[in-house]
Amino acid sequence: MTYEEYLDEVTTLIVEKYGASDAAAIRLVVAAQDKEFFVPHDEKPEMRTVERAHADARTLYQASPMARSAPIKKK
């Protein structure tokens, strides 16, 4: 998948798996981009897998203030 599709996948997973709003998930992903979290994904297309998107969504969510204030929604 393209870099943009990968970011969309991570954003969607944060919404679906953790119950975040679209706006909150977008903010998490944009903040991660600002901190260069996704630079390796941009440089190495082989990192852009669905499995990796699940792991990155979990990492970003767990590091967010939302994770400390809400139970995890499992699907």
Side-chain angles (χ1 to χ4, degrees), residues 5-26:
E5 290 169 333
Y6 185 79
L7 296 179
D8 287 344
E9 182 68 17
V10 172
T11 304
T12 299
L13 289 168
I14 292 169
V15 170
E16 291 177 355
K17 292 177 77 171
Y18 304 107
S21 68
D22 289 339
I26 290 167

Side-chain angles (χ1 to χ4, degrees), residues 1-3 6 41-50:
M1 73 182 78
T2 67
Y3 178 72
Y6 185 79
H41 304 72
D42 191 25
E43 296 172 351
K44 298 177 183 174
E46 62 272 13
M47 291 180 73
R48 295 182 230 138
T49 65
V50 173

Side-chain angles (χ1 to χ4, degrees), residues 11 14 20-35 38 60 64 66:
T11 304
I14 292 169
S21 68
D22 289 339
I26 290 167
R27 280 192 302 272
L28 282 179
V29 171
V30 168
Q33 279 184 286
D34 288 346
K35 294 178 182 172
F38 293 109
L60 294 178
S64 76
M66 288 184 292

